[in-house]
Amino acid sequence: MELAYYSDYAVRLVNSEEPARGKDSLTSVEAVRDLFGGNQQAARRATEADLTRFRSVRARLRAVFEAADKGEETLAVDLLNSLLLEFPVSPQISGHDFRDEDGRPLWHMHLADHPSNATAGYTAIAAMGLAFHLTEYGVDRLGLCEAAPCRNAYLDTSTNRSRRYCSDRCATRANVAAYRARKRLEAERPDRPDRPERSASTGLAAESAQRATASGER
């Protein structure tokens, strides 16, 4: 299992709520279990008591993304370290479920957890995955969507650190909004005169011609 997969745990949990829109999908045990994805063995441990615990962890993970988004690197690291200390994991080499063509295990790193409840297990994996991403790519690779009012979390894996939105949908929406704003500004500008103003040279030439005509009439 790749470490990038673990960092997605943090993103999924943070994005289960959209504060600016007043939306929260974390309202049932089934919603909690859905966050585990394919890890159904761990998901089955979830109970009603995990709802409150998950929401508490979600707020702490969002605070990490908010600090990173503001460029407050030390704060982001401190907040994440507090989660790592509170919810530790035991890294192990594993070969389960992955076999080569000869039937031999495909060894990989597995973030084994020994939780007292579903929240502890999920948080341990999410925090460790986010820590790996942060140390590998940098704090500035943790972002919040710039397409207001979205503000969903995302992990920037672009080659030039250019990601600004959580999805293509938000990127398109932001570009359309910017285009419409430009069009409104253009429409609000005062109308230009129907006839272009004469240049200084054209005006002088006309005045000279008028004087010449006046002299000839005398």
Side-chain angles (χ1 to χ4, degrees):
M1 191 177 292
E2 297 181 1
L3 297 180
Y5 173 83
Y6 290 117
S7 60
D8 286 339
Y9 272 56
V11 174
R12 287 203 298 270
L13 179 53
V14 171
N15 291 348
S16 67
E17 181 185 29
E18 297 181 70
R21 291 190 173 110
K23 294 182 179 180
D24 187 350
S25 63
L26 203 57
T27 57
S28 67
V29 176
E30 287 305 315
V32 170
R33 290 172 179 164
D34 288 342
L35 291 172
F36 285 86
N39 192 354
Q40 289 305 300
Q41 182 177 354
R44 283 192 289 270
R45 293 196 295 259
T47 66
E48 288 287 344
D50 285 298
L51 272 171
T52 301
R53 290 192 287 253
F54 260 75
R55 290 183 185 130
S56 176
V57 170
R58 180 177 63 188
R60 294 172 67 181
L61 285 171
R62 175 170 282 278
V64 174
F65 279 92
E66 288 175 343
D69 188 63
K70 295 176 183 177
E72 299 175 351
E73 295 192 16
T74 301
L75 177 58
V77 170
D78 287 344
L79 292 171
L80 188 52
N81 272 337
S82 68
L83 286 166
L84 292 170
L85 289 171
E86 188 174 343
F87 302 97
V89 295
S90 303
Q92 296 177 359
I93 299 174
S94 176
H96 67 83
D97 299 333
F98 295 95
R99 302 279 174 171
D100 62 17
E101 58 185 11
D102 296 323
R104 294 176 300 185
L106 294 175
W107 302 111
H108 59 279
M109 288 300 297
H110 178 72
L111 296 184
D113 58 277
H114 308 283
S116 57
N117 54 67
T119 305
Y122 191 98
T123 307
I125 293 173
M128 183 61 75
L130 200 56
F132 276 121
H133 190 94
L134 185 151
T135 53
E136 179 70 18
Y137 301 107
V139 178
D140 58 339
R141 293 299 188 119
L142 278 59
L144 293 174
C145 186
E146 293 185 11
C150 178
R151 303 302 283 168
N152 272 350
Y154 66 82
L155 299 172
D156 186 359
T157 57
S158 64
T159 56
N160 57 356
R161 300 173 182 265
S162 60
R163 185 169 180 179
R164 298 168 55 202
Y165 307 102
C166 68
S167 64
D168 290 339
R169 179 183 178 183
C170 275
T172 299
R173 185 162 55 84
N175 290 332
V176 170
Y179 172 79
R180 290 175 176 171
R182 288 195 299 271
K183 287 299 182 181
R184 282 196 299 271
L185 286 175
E186 291 175 2
E188 291 170 358
R189 291 174 183 169
D191 294 334
R192 294 180 178 179
D194 293 334
R195 296 180 181 178
E197 295 181 0
R198 295 186 302 175
S199 64
S201 58
T202 302
L204 290 174
E207 290 178 2
S208 298
Q210 289 176 355
R211 284 195 296 270
T213 300
S215 300
E217 290 176 352
R218 288 190 184 117

